[in-house]
């Protein structure tokens, strides 16, 4: 059958125009931001806040879907297996759910590098060690002495990979090899166990910890950062508290989509999140929670994940 060349060219041009229009129309409907942790956690607060800001820019609803469990792995797997059409995104602490996960779990149900396309970095924060506010323990040194006295009966809680790394670094630098770790799905349960004396201390992200410290429910003993947090000016870093070789544990947040998401969609999302992090109101909001804005791009996020994954896997932290 002979095909008219003019008809072919017109048809191809029309198809290309329709395809371009479909790309340009993104987003046409609601987006879902999957959160790696339960509602009420510091992570949930972050995802809902940034999801709301993204909604304002894109003009479409962004709904938070909390899928807590397995220190964030359940949600991360869900994103990895989602359709790569730009309507499912992951706003998460990649330092924990992707980088640290590789050294904490022998086998993951997803590939932290191959199963995701990076969008950009958005924020960074640190973790803390805290005890019951009613406890007689006032300093990190007090806690260390109490834990040494309890030996293998001492226990601390974690609900995120970065918190686990923080706790294990504290154990190593303070000489506490016998202290046990208990993993929790949420933050309310370990808080209850802390009050009941079932655990001796907990690790938590600063945004969550600040809220409960202000409410008089926990006492924060040290932050795993290079400098004191603006939200916790009276709380020393681990180094200031006496553990000179502790260094720092910084949780960095970023945005990811399933691998293979079309480039124009990724560009739209990257531009949107960079507009969010450039907003002075967002910087103020983060600072009030003890966090900092951390703008970037897809390449920066990819390089950061690769670099931090390599460092954690070779750090020899006794996890």
């Amino acid at each position: 059958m002979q095909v008219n060349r003019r008809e072919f060219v017109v048809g191809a041009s029309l198809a290309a125009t329709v395809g371009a229009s479909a790309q340009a129309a993104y987003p046409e409907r609601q987006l879902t931001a999957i959160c790696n942790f339960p509602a009420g956690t510091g992570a949930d607060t972050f995802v809902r806040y940034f999801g709301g800001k993204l909604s304002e820019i894109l003009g479409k609803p962004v709904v938070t879907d909390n899928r807590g469990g397995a220190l964030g792995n359940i949600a991360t797997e869900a994103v990895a297996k989602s359709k790569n059409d730009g309507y499912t995104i992951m706003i998460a602490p990649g330092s924990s759910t992707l980088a640290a996960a590789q050294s904490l779990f022998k086998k993951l149900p997803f590939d932290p590098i191959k199963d995701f396309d990076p969008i950009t970095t958005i924020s960074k924060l640190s973790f803390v060690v805290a005890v019951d506010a009613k406890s007689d323990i006032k300093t990190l040194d007090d806690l260390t002495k109490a834990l040494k006295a309890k030996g293998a009966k001492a226990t601390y809680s974690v609900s995120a990979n970065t918190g686990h790394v923080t706790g294990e670094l504290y154990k190593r630098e303070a000489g506490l090899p016998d202290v046990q770790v208990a993993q929790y799905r949420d933050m309310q349960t370990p808080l209850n166990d802390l009050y009941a004396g079932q655990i001796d201390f907990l690790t938590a992200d600063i945004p969550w910890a600040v809220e409960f410290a202000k409410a008089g429910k926990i006492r924060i003993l040290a932050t795993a950062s290079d400098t004191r947090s603006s939200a916790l000016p009276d709380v020393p870093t681990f180094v200031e508290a006496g553990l000179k070789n502790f260094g720092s544990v910084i949780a960095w947040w970023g945005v990811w989509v399933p691998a293979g998401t079309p480039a124009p969609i990724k560009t739209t999302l990257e531009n949107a999140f960079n507009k969010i992090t450039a907003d002075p109101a967002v910087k103020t909001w983060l600072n009030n929670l003890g966090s900092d804005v951390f703008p970037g791009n897809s390449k920066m996020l990819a390089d950061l994940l690769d670099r931090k994954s390599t460092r954690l896997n070779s750090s020899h932290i006794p996890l």
Side-chain angles (χ1 to χ4, degrees), residues 107-130:
K107 185 177 181 180
L108 291 171
F110 54 84
D111 187 304
I113 305 295
K114 297 179 180 179
D115 289 344
F116 304 90
D117 284 345
I119 299 300
T120 187
T121 54
I122 55 175
S123 176
K124 58 183 178 180
L125 55 90
S126 191
F127 271 64
V128 304
V129 159

Side-chain angles (χ1 to χ4, degrees), residues 86-195:
Y87 289 95
T88 299
I89 65 176
M90 181 170 72
I91 304 172
S95 53
S96 171
T97 56
L98 294 176
Q102 298 175 72
S103 61
L104 289 169
F105 297 90
K106 292 182 179 179
K107 185 177 181 180
L108 291 171
F110 54 84
D111 187 304
I113 305 295
K114 297 179 180 179
D115 289 344
F116 304 90
D117 284 345
I119 299 300
T120 187
T121 54
I122 55 175
S123 176
K124 58 183 178 180
L125 55 90
S126 191
F127 271 64
V128 304
V129 159
V131 296
D132 184 351
K134 299 186 299 294
S135 169
D136 292 332
I137 294 174
K138 308 295 183 183
T139 66
L140 189 67
D141 188 53
D142 290 343
L143 177 60
T144 300
K145 291 176 180 177
L147 295 173
K148 286 183 176 180
K150 291 189 71 171
K153 294 182 180 180
T155 305
Y156 80 98
S157 75
V158 300
S159 58
N161 294 333
T162 307
H164 195 173
V165 172
T166 300
E168 293 302 312
L169 276 174
Y170 167 48
K171 283 172 52 179
R172 184 176 74 179
E173 298 306 319
L176 301 166
D178 298 326
V179 176
Q180 304 299 305
V181 60
Q183 295 183 0
Y184 288 80
R185 181 179 180 275
D186 58 82
M187 287 303 296
Q188 186 57 51
T189 304
L191 192 61
N192 294 338
D193 287 351
L194 185 69
Y195 298 153

Side-chain angles (χ1 to χ4, degrees), residues 219-265:
R219 178 180 298 120
I220 302 173
L221 304 181
T223 62
S225 52
D226 292 319
T227 59
R228 294 196 182 197
S229 167
S230 57
L232 299 167
D234 298 326
V235 177
T237 65
F238 274 95
V239 173
E240 290 177 326
L243 301 185
K244 302 302 182 183
N245 297 317
F246 186 91
S248 65
V249 180
I250 302 299
W252 38 270
W253 279 70
V255 183
W256 288 264
V257 291
T261 297
I265 291 177

Side-chain angles (χ1 to χ4, degrees), residues 289-311:
L289 291 176
S291 306
D292 294 300
V293 69
F294 188 29
N297 53 51
S298 58
K299 184 180 186 305
M300 175 179 166
L301 182 55
D303 291 344
L304 184 62
L305 176 58
D306 181 64
R307 187 169 68 253
K308 294 300 181 181
S309 297
T310 301
R311 179 185 176 189

Side-chain angles (χ1 to χ4, degrees), residues 41-107:
T41 59
D44 176 61
T45 300
F46 265 58
V47 175
R48 291 181 188 277
Y49 180 80
F50 279 99
K53 291 296 181 181
L54 180 64
S55 178
E56 292 175 8
I57 292 175
L58 297 184
K60 298 296 179 181
V62 178
V63 177
T64 299
D65 181 2
N66 297 88
R67 300 197 187 188
L71 297 184
N73 287 351
I74 292 176
T76 307
E77 180 183 8
V79 175
K81 295 180 178 179
S82 295
K83 189 174 181 180
N84 55 0
D85 57 2
Y87 289 95
T88 299
I89 65 176
M90 181 170 72
I91 304 172
S95 53
S96 171
T97 56
L98 294 176
Q102 298 175 72
S103 61
L104 289 169
F105 297 90
K106 292 182 179 179
K107 185 177 181 180

